[in-house]
Amino acid sequence: MYFAALLARTEDGWEASDTELDDVETLSDLTDLAREASVDEDTVLVFIEQEDAWFGVVRVDGEEDPRIFISDATAAARSSYGEILLTDELLGREPGAEDTIAALEELVGLDGTEDGEPDITPDNDNDNELDADAVPTGPLGDTGILADLGLPEAELLMLRTDALVEIADALGAAEVLETVR
């Protein structure tokens, strides 16, 4: 079960709205959605939560690049909404590198077999080798994303269940978030 909401900062406090992510395919789409909810280019927070698995916060301040925090990158990687947040930049990868490598491997057949031959390559589970495509375990992203809004890094990193409620409470927006929950 997913929950997604936008919190837009205004002169009068925070305004909350639930949001559908069905048409959101990229971080750019999500950022555009947040900017549409912005009043005078003020801060907008996008909350995404998969019940008891992970949560993510995307912060958009005017035209600046979005800032992202994900509570559990491994769990988010198994989610279509999490994949939106797990950008190459956030993972420390060269943008588009995964697509380029896959295309090259397909083009030249780097699996070591001829067409029609079975792949009899032994599984080498060498724990000492770092898989370039691996997603790190645990929190990922900007841990100071909410520090200036009242939620220090250390507290953000300790959040587990009902995290969005606790975040909204620290921001003074618990009541408005509850109206869309």
Side-chain angles (χ1 to χ4, degrees):
M1 180 83 178
Y2 287 97
F3 170 73
L6 294 170
L7 272 183
R9 193 166 163 179
T10 69
E11 290 178 3
D12 301 325
W14 292 95
E15 290 182 7
S17 59
D18 60 346
T19 187
E20 286 294 322
L21 299 177
D22 294 340
D23 296 330
V24 174
E25 295 178 8
T26 65
L27 180 59
S28 181
D29 293 343
L30 189 60
T31 303
D32 291 344
L33 186 68
R35 285 189 177 122
E36 289 172 12
S38 176
V39 177
D40 296 325
E41 295 190 4
D42 279 335
T43 300
V44 176
L45 302 174
V46 180
F47 292 151
I48 302 173
E49 178 180 56
Q50 183 179 4
E51 192 171 297
D52 295 330
W54 67 276
F55 70 90
V57 179
V58 178
R59 179 176 176 164
V60 178
D61 293 302
E63 292 300 316
E64 292 181 29
D65 288 340
R67 296 166 58 190
I68 304 167
F69 174 78
I70 301 170
S71 66
D72 185 336
T74 304
R78 294 187 294 267
S79 157
S80 58
Y81 296 131
E83 288 179 350
I84 292 170
L85 304 181
L86 291 168
T87 63
D88 287 336
E89 183 180 348
L90 190 66
L91 293 168
R93 297 181 189 153
E94 185 71 32
E98 186 175 302
D99 296 336
T100 302
I101 291 169
L104 287 173
E105 286 176 348
E106 185 177 316
L107 180 65
V108 296
L110 293 179
D111 66 354
T113 64
E114 296 292 326
D115 288 340
E117 287 183 18
D119 181 4
I120 55 170
T121 308
D123 288 336
N124 292 328
D125 290 335
N126 186 348
D127 291 339
N128 295 327
E129 286 185 7
L130 179 63
D131 181 5
D133 294 328
V135 174
T137 303
L140 184 65
D142 185 351
T143 57
I145 191 170
L146 302 171
D148 65 322
L149 299 174
L151 188 68
E153 293 178 37
E155 289 182 33
L156 180 63
L157 290 170
M158 292 188 323
L159 297 176
R160 295 293 173 246
T161 58
D162 293 327
L164 300 186
V165 172
E166 291 186 43
I167 291 170
D169 189 42
L171 302 177
E175 289 181 21
V176 293
L177 183 63
E178 191 59 37
T179 62
V180 297
R181 206 152 186 29

